[in-house]
């Protein structure tokens, strides 16, 4: 089968793919038809993987894919396939692992050369159009690969076969299960702590990423063992991030990462998943410290989500570009003159709270950031600062906006829904819980035949969902149940868990694959064990099933969750820091906490205590007077005619408490 010899991306659902629809390259989306075309033409495949907010993806597109001469070489020698890594993480992870196995540094854009049947034989990331930066030019690369394909095909096929076998053994294989060990998490957290930059937070050196799986491991280790250094490293990192240039002080929200060691100059793309994880961690930090910085940044970031990221069905778009009007950071940076025009007589006040930073290696306009002293001043005088920010935001609204990737990803939205529900509980913001419920309903409304899509863009949907979609949405459902008490969400969570089992379980029922069993175009069904900026699909699934089994008290489900966790831990033992999400979720599996509160809803003082003391290990159930209380471990059914809070770990419960102060002390004792 030979597809039309033209660019075929115009009708794709992915905004990233459609960004390339006018390229002179004969792009195809990843599909069995594109693979069949390569076999029919007996040509190698040029695979290019990126995402809409990726700065260097845009650079390579402008330099090479929009160039008629380079496109002509690509069209003559290759079948060219373009992949949105957010839409097809199952494809991206296979070929990123292949590049790593070649000894090359990964990143995006990912540029891989494949045999017609999809086996990788060479690759890289960004290539300039002509040789520079010590890198070969893209035309030079294309011609060299084509020559090797003509003259050394047998050798390339042999090496490609060996490489894909190696990658399959890494990403799909089964390892013996490992007993869950209480010391695994603190040992890992000790290792992470040794890499912390105790001056600036985050890991030592540059670039600096938020690295939520690492920060979560440190926080869980503190909760489990009371290791103050693990808690303090997270608090330091969050404070430095939230005062740095990586945070959008005018509009709210966190950028993807900082290019320097001081959180000053970000790549300005804003990703939904980074901000979902920021909200959760800032919520934990606020509960532990009562530092108003965390509450303010939660409010600002949710304000940004509502203002700039929410779409028609109540769910949230994926990302904002780093670039606008062809320049990175143009939307977010300020010259002194621009600040003066926006603030007028208020300009001197801004210097009390913010610096303009322009490091020597930064070619753009200066970036707003704070010193520690300025951060404290802002928190103490926030109404004044909020007025300054409002003026800057109104002025900035007149600029050319960065592009928005409007596709709705089920897994990323699940992360945001959980964060909104948890923050809404902690800060008594029912409107945030309503936002979470509306986003959840928007995702479910897109299901067909009982199955979730992975991606939604208007009427276009990408089926089937990934295991990460089910994991994130099960967790979101349980978070909404905790926030609302509506048992409907538990029913949905159970249904999603059944779908996960039906379509993603491995033959031995010891774990799950990332892709569904009827995904016909994946060269390898991988497990999805490796973390990226978020916890791995496996980590998310283990957490989800543990949460569901804990809140329902379903013993069979709990046993299944433990089996999956033990086998995941066995695989994670082969990695040092690449599968932290699995270790984190296994720690939850080892010591799940359950808090059942019986109380008059009109005088919910015990529930208020639980809400303002969030603990990622704990699941909360509120039962009104006269309601039906679920059984606790040991088949104990609490009375529902008097107030009481029952805190249980695994198969044992502490004596009930009815005094709010006593419950506060009990919950805080479990976090130190």
């Amino acid at each position: 089968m030979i597809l039309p010899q033209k660019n075929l991306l115009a009708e794709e659902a992915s905004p990233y793919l459609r960004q390339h629809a006018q390229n002179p390259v004969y792009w195809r989306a990843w599909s069995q038809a594109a693979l069949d075309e390569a076999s029919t033409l007996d040509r190698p495949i040029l695979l290019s993987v990126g995402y809409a907010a990726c700065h260097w993806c845009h650079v390579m597109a402008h330099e090479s894919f929009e160039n008629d001469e380079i496109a002509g070489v690509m069209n003559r020698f290759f079948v060219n396939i373009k992949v949105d890594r957010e839409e097809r993480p199952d494809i991206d992870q296979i070929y990123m692992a292949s590049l790593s196995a070649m000894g090359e540094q990964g990143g995006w854009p990912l540029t891989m050369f494949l045999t017609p049947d999809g086996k990788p034989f060479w690759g890289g990331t960004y290539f300039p159009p002509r040789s520079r930066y010590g890198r070969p030019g893209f035309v030079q690369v294309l011609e060299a690969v084509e020559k090797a394909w003509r003259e050394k095909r047998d050798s390339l096929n042999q090496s490609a076969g060996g490489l894909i076998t190696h990658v399959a053994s890494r990403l799909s294989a089964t390892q013996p299960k490992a007993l869950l060990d209480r010391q695994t998490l603190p040992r890992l957290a000790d290792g992470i702590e040794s890499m912390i930059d105790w001056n600036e937070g985050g890991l030592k050196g540059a670039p600096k990423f938020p690295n939520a799986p690492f920060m979560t491991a440190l926080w869980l280790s503190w909760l489990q063992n009371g290791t103050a250094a693990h808690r303090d490293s997270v608090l330091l990192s969050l404070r430095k991030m939230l005062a740095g240039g990586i945070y959008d002080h005018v509009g709210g929200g966190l950028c993807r990462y900082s290019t320097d060691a001081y959180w000053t100059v970000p790549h300005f793309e804003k990703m939904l998943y980074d901000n979902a994880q920021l909200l959760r961690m800032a919520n934990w930090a606020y509960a532990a410290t009562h530092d108003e910085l965390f509450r303010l940044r939660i409010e600002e970031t949710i304000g940004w989500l509502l203002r700039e990221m929410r779409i028609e069905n109540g769910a949230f778009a994926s990302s904002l570009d780093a670039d606008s009007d062809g320049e990175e950071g143009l939307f977010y940076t300020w010259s002194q003159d621009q600040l003066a025009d926006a603030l007028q007589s208020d300009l001197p006040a801004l210097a009390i709270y913010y610096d303009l930073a322009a490091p020597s290696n930064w070619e753009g306009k200066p970036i707003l950031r704070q010193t520690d002293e300025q951060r404290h001043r802002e928190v103490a005088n926030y109404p004044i600062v909020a007025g300054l920010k409002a003026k800057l935001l109104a002025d900035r609204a007149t600029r050319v906006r960065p592009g928005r990737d409007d596709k709705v990803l089920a897994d990323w939205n699940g992360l945001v829904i959980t964060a909104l529900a948890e923050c809404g509980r902690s800060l008594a913001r029912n409107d945030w819980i309503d936002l979470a419920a509306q986003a959840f309903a928007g995702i479910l409304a897109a299901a067909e035949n009982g199955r979730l899509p992975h991606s939604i863009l208007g009427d276009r949907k990408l089926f089937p969902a990934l295991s990460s979609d089910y994991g994130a949405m099960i967790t979101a459902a349980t978070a909404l149940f905790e926030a609302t008490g509506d048992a409907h969400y538990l029913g949905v969570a159970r249904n999603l868990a059944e779908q996960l089992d039906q379509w993603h379980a491995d033959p031995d029922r010891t774990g799950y694959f990332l892709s569904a069993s009827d995904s016909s175009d994946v060269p390898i069904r991988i497990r999805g064990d490796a973390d990226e900026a978020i916890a791995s699909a496996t980590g998310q699934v283990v957490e989800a099933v543990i949460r569901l089994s804990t809140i329902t008290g379903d013993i069979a489900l709990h046993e299944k969750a433990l089996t999956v966790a033990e086998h995941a831990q066995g695989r994670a033992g082969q990695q040092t820091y690449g599968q932290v999400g699995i270790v984190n979720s296994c720690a939850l599996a080892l010591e799940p906490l359950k808090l059942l509160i019986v109380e008059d809803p009109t005088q919910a003082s015990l529930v208020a205590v639980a809400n303002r003391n969030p603990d990622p290990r704990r699941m909360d159930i509120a039962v009104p007077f006269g309601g039906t209380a679920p059984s606790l471990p040991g088949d104990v059914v609490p009375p529902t005619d008097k107030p009481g809070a029952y805190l249980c770990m695994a198969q044992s419960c502490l004596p009930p408490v009815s005094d709010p102060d006593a419950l506060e002390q009990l919950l805080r004792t479990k976090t130190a």
Side-chain angles (χ1 to χ4, degrees):
M1 176 181 181
I2 299 177
L3 297 171
Q5 296 303 288
K6 63 180 182 178
N7 189 314
L8 300 179
L9 298 185
E11 299 304 316
E12 291 297 318
S14 161
Y16 172 68
L17 296 187
R18 293 206 312 274
Q19 285 175 3
H20 294 80
Q22 301 306 313
N23 294 168
V25 178
Y26 296 164
W27 287 121
R28 286 85 171 87
W30 182 274
S31 66
Q32 190 60 53
L35 298 175
D36 291 343
E37 179 183 27
S39 295
T40 300
L41 294 175
D42 195 27
R43 289 183 187 174
I45 293 167
L46 192 163
L47 175 68
S48 177
V49 183
Y51 58 101
C54 167
H55 171 69
W56 284 103
C57 300
H58 296 320
V59 171
M60 191 167 177
H62 295 321
E63 292 178 340
S64 294
F65 304 149
E66 295 173 7
N67 181 294
D68 288 322
E69 178 189 353
I70 296 175
V73 177
M74 294 171 65
N75 295 335
R76 189 161 61 251
F77 293 150
F78 301 95
V79 169
N80 302 291
I81 298 180
K82 175 63 77 172
V83 166
D84 180 345
R85 68 172 297 261
E86 298 166 357
E87 193 176 61
R88 294 303 302 265
D90 48 351
I91 301 301
D92 174 62
Q93 289 183 35
I94 291 169
Y95 294 109
M96 190 63 74
S98 301
L99 185 64
S100 176
M102 295 174 187
E104 297 290 332
Q105 181 70 37
W108 297 276
L110 175 64
T111 307
M112 296 295 291
F113 296 93
L114 320 178
T115 63
D117 57 353
K119 296 183 177 69
F121 60 84
W122 195 76
T125 52
Y126 163 79
F127 291 101
R130 309 295 174 190
S131 298
R132 67 175 188 263
Y133 311 137
R135 299 183 64 82
F138 195 44
V139 172
Q140 181 183 354
V141 168
L142 297 173
E143 291 174 342
V145 170
E146 192 276 334
K147 185 174 186 290
W149 180 250
R150 278 189 289 107
E151 298 178 359
K152 301 178 181 179
R153 182 178 304 195
D154 290 344
S155 175
L156 290 182
N157 278 322
Q158 184 175 1
S159 63
L163 180 60
I164 201 71
T165 299
H166 170 74
V167 169
S169 70
R170 285 183 51 199
L171 301 185
S172 304
T174 299
Q175 296 286 341
K177 69 179 182 179
L179 293 177
L180 301 185
D181 181 356
R182 202 175 188 275
Q183 298 308 310
T184 301
L185 175 64
R187 282 197 299 266
L188 177 67
D190 284 341
I192 295 171
E193 186 208 328
S194 72
M195 297 185 278
I196 292 292
D197 178 347
W198 283 101
N199 291 317
E200 300 298 331
L203 302 186
K204 296 171 185 173
K208 279 193 188 296
F209 290 82
N211 208 323
F214 277 31
M215 295 298 107
T216 301
L218 290 163
W219 195 260
L220 289 174
S221 179
W222 168 60
L223 292 175
Q224 176 182 299
N225 301 294
T227 308
H230 294 171
R231 172 201 61 199
D232 294 345
S233 63
V234 176
L235 295 175
L236 171 68
S237 299
L238 285 173
R239 287 179 174 124
K240 290 291 186 178
M241 276 188 271
L242 295 175
I246 190 175
Y247 182 77
D248 178 4
H249 292 279
V250 173
L254 200 67
C255 296
R256 179 69 198 91
Y257 67 94
S258 170
T259 61
D260 61 281
Y262 306 97
W263 303 109
T264 299
V265 180
H267 268 315
F268 288 86
E269 62 263 33
K270 285 182 172 180
M271 312 302 296
L272 187 66
Y273 56 74
D274 283 321
N275 287 283
Q277 294 173 118
L278 167 67
L279 290 173
R280 276 196 100 188
M281 288 189 290
N283 187 43
W284 303 339
Y286 179 66
T289 65
H290 303 300
D291 183 342
E292 287 292 298
L293 171 75
F294 299 121
R295 181 184 65 80
L296 295 173
R297 295 295 185 255
I298 289 170
E299 291 178 349
E300 290 172 349
T301 299
I302 293 177
W304 164 72
L305 285 171
L306 184 58
R307 185 180 63 251
E308 298 188 33
M309 300 299 285
R310 198 163 184 248
I311 64 169
E312 292 77 8
N313 69 350
F316 295 91
S318 295
S319 64
L320 296 178
D321 282 359
D323 304 0
S324 54
D325 210 19
E327 183 177 333
E328 183 184 10
L330 183 65
F331 184 73
Y332 299 103
T333 53
W334 299 85
S335 68
Q336 193 69 34
D337 288 344
Q338 286 176 316
L339 289 174
D341 289 343
L343 294 176
Q344 302 291 322
S345 61
D346 287 331
L347 179 63
L350 186 70
I352 300 172
Y353 305 105
Y354 284 97
D355 284 337
L356 272 182
S360 58
N361 63 341
W362 170 242
E363 298 176 357
K365 289 179 294 187
I367 300 162
L368 287 174
R369 63 159 294 145
Q370 295 175 310
T371 64
D372 291 344
E373 184 178 355
Q374 287 170 326
R375 186 184 79 230
H376 290 305
R377 287 183 198 145
E378 179 194 3
V379 171
N381 300 283
Y382 190 73
I384 296 172
V385 180
L388 298 174
K389 291 185 178 186
K391 289 186 175 182
L392 294 176
L393 185 64
D395 184 88
R396 198 174 77 176
T398 65
R399 300 178 182 178
V400 176
R401 288 189 173 275
R404 187 176 78 172
D405 186 335
D406 283 346
K407 71 175 180 291
V408 170
L409 297 175
D411 49 1
W412 294 7
N413 270 266
L415 298 177
V416 172
I417 292 163
T418 297
L420 287 170
E422 291 179 351
C423 290
R425 288 180 63 203
S426 295
L427 299 178
R429 291 291 300 265
N430 288 333
D431 55 328
W432 295 349
I433 297 171
D434 289 343
L435 285 176
Q438 290 163 24
F440 189 84
I443 301 294
L444 287 188
E448 294 181 9
N449 300 316
R451 298 181 69 177
L452 292 177
H454 171 60
S455 176
I456 307 160
L457 185 69
D459 294 332
R460 287 174 286 193
K461 307 168 191 175
L462 180 66
F463 289 95
L466 303 168
S467 63
S468 56
D469 298 313
Y470 285 103
M473 287 294 287
I474 291 168
T475 294
T478 58
L480 281 167
F481 170 74
E482 289 182 289
T484 66
D486 187 343
H488 161 74
Y489 290 111
L490 289 187
V492 173
R494 283 187 176 276
N495 178 262
L496 294 174
E498 290 170 1
Q499 291 290 320
L500 175 69
D501 277 345
Q502 180 177 352
W503 297 106
H504 295 270
D506 64 23
D508 298 326
R509 299 282 164 166
T510 60
Y512 298 93
F513 289 111
L514 179 60
S515 302
S517 57
D518 58 347
S519 295
S520 59
D521 62 354
V522 291
I524 306 169
R525 281 188 81 198
I526 66 175
R527 291 190 176 275
D529 288 342
D531 297 331
E532 294 180 327
I534 58 179
S536 66
T538 299
Q540 292 186 62
V541 166
V542 172
E543 177 180 1
V545 181
I546 284 295
R547 286 171 62 94
L548 182 58
S549 67
T550 300
I551 207 163
T552 60
D554 186 327
I555 299 299
L557 187 59
H558 184 70
E559 290 300 317
K560 177 195 295 183
L562 286 177
T563 297
V564 173
E566 288 170 345
H567 282 83
Q569 185 67 71
R571 299 193 301 275
Q574 310 301 309
Q575 302 286 327
T576 305
Y577 295 108
Q579 298 181 5
V580 175
I582 289 176
V583 176
N584 293 341
S585 62
C586 287
L588 302 179
L590 191 62
E591 294 181 337
L593 300 178
K594 181 174 184 174
L595 177 65
L596 188 146
I597 295 175
V598 177
E599 192 170 41
D600 181 350
T602 64
Q603 300 175 351
S605 56
L606 294 174
V607 169
V609 170
N611 286 348
R612 65 175 177 259
N613 287 282
D615 186 329
R617 305 169 300 168
R618 198 183 75 229
M619 298 299 301
D620 296 350
I621 304 173
V623 178
F625 282 171
T628 302
S631 297
L632 296 175
D635 292 328
V636 174
V637 179
T640 60
D641 58 350
K642 59 183 179 180
Y646 303 78
L647 181 62
C648 307
M649 178 188 295
Q651 297 305 309
S652 63
C653 298
L654 298 176
V657 297
S658 57
D659 177 68
D661 291 338
L663 179 59
E664 184 101 35
Q665 180 63 35
L666 178 62
L667 296 183
R668 288 194 164 268
T669 300
K670 297 303 295 180
T671 61

